[in-house]
Amino acid sequence: MRDTAGTATGLRERKKERTREALVDAAQELFLRKGYDATTIDEIVAAVEVSRRTFFRYFAGKEEVALARAMEFEALFLDALTTRPADEAPLTALRRAGTEVFARVVDEEHDGAGQEFLRMRRMIEDTPVLLAASLRNMIELERRMAAEIARREGLTPGADRRPALLVTLYHSVMRVAMDEWTEGGALEATGLVRIIEDAWDDMGVVLTGRWTADEIPRA
């Protein structure tokens, strides 16, 4: 006998996911075209032809829908980190988890994901309320990452500073690499992966030796 209840539940879940994606897509299109402050929730729901009540089933407000893609990326990274082999060194696990997630971005290049990412990143940085929320999310992400590193290494979260130090270092390198990528204007995800690897190579030099003005960093 076919499981009609299970089939119906699956259909409902897929419909809910399509609605959520449609709301995020519509919101981002409006934010990028009109600006965050000038866009209203009424305009977002009108674009998707759903009610305000439906919108609030998925998001607490404009701030949350504006950061939805960034939060999805963070969730992907945490999932990738938790599934790395247990015998990997902490930094290796972090770097390979990041590479795994960025490899998915490479697969999405054909639909303009790089340009959309850049424009949304700039909008978030130029919008104080979104920048503040993004920084709060990043702090929480770092706490969760440090807790996962502590778990992998058999440490007590909060009792050993090494996981927090490592996660802070990781995000510092990633932030510098991301800034270089977006400012360069060449938004191929493969280029981003190269910049990240070069940044880690440079960080190795920074941490283990001295460098001089005569040394030319990679472009």
Side-chain angles (χ1 to χ4, degrees):
M1 180 181 296
R2 187 173 64 180
D3 183 4
T4 56
T7 300
T9 299
L11 290 172
R12 284 196 298 270
E13 291 302 315
R14 287 195 293 274
K15 182 178 179 181
K16 286 171 61 178
E17 183 60 25
R18 287 195 297 270
T19 301
R20 182 186 184 280
E21 288 298 301
L23 286 166
V24 173
D25 288 342
Q28 289 198 164
E29 191 279 328
L30 286 164
F31 293 151
L32 294 175
R33 178 162 53 86
K34 298 183 58 179
Y36 177 79
D37 291 331
T39 299
T40 66
I41 291 176
D42 285 337
E43 290 173 316
I44 296 171
V45 299
V48 185
E49 298 183 339
V50 297
S51 66
R52 286 176 61 92
R53 183 177 179 182
T54 297
F55 176 91
F56 286 110
R57 288 192 191 124
Y58 297 93
F59 304 104
K62 280 201 314 177
E63 179 182 297
E64 189 171 318
V65 74
L67 297 174
R69 292 285 183 246
M71 295 177 71
E72 289 169 9
F73 184 89
E74 292 168 3
L76 285 174
F77 178 82
L78 278 171
D79 286 343
L81 179 60
T82 58
T83 57
R84 294 307 307 169
D87 61 350
E88 283 184 343
L91 181 56
T92 300
L94 285 170
R95 291 182 62 175
R96 290 181 178 172
T99 299
E100 178 183 331
V101 173
F102 281 118
R104 303 186 192 186
V105 177
V106 174
D107 292 336
E108 297 173 358
E109 281 186 352
H110 65 279
D111 64 5
Q115 288 288 343
E116 180 182 274
F117 176 87
L118 171 62
R119 295 177 66 197
M120 284 299 296
R121 188 169 189 256
R122 286 177 173 168
M123 187 197 75
I124 290 170
E125 290 178 347
D126 292 340
T127 307
V129 64
L130 293 181
L131 180 58
S134 179
L135 291 174
R136 288 196 301 271
N137 289 345
M138 183 59 64
I139 291 171
E140 178 58 26
L141 175 63
E142 289 187 352
R143 287 174 178 161
R144 295 174 68 185
M145 289 170 61
E148 174 59 19
I149 294 297
R151 183 196 67 78
R152 289 171 56 90
E153 298 303 301
L155 305 175
T156 302
D160 190 310
R161 70 170 65 93
R162 288 175 294 177
L165 288 171
L166 179 64
V167 167
T168 300
L169 172 65
Y170 177 83
H171 272 132
S172 296
V173 173
M174 294 298 294
R175 183 168 59 250
V176 170
M178 293 291 289
D179 287 344
E180 181 178 335
W181 183 63
T182 55
E183 290 171 7
L187 297 178
E188 297 85 0
T190 49
L192 172 58
V193 172
R194 177 185 59 78
I195 291 171
I196 291 171
E197 291 304 311
D198 287 347
W200 276 112
D201 289 342
D202 290 339
M203 178 57 78
V205 175
V206 168
L207 292 175
T208 60
R210 300 185 61 185
W211 68 97
T212 69
D214 294 331
E215 295 176 358
I216 307 299
R218 285 173 292 274

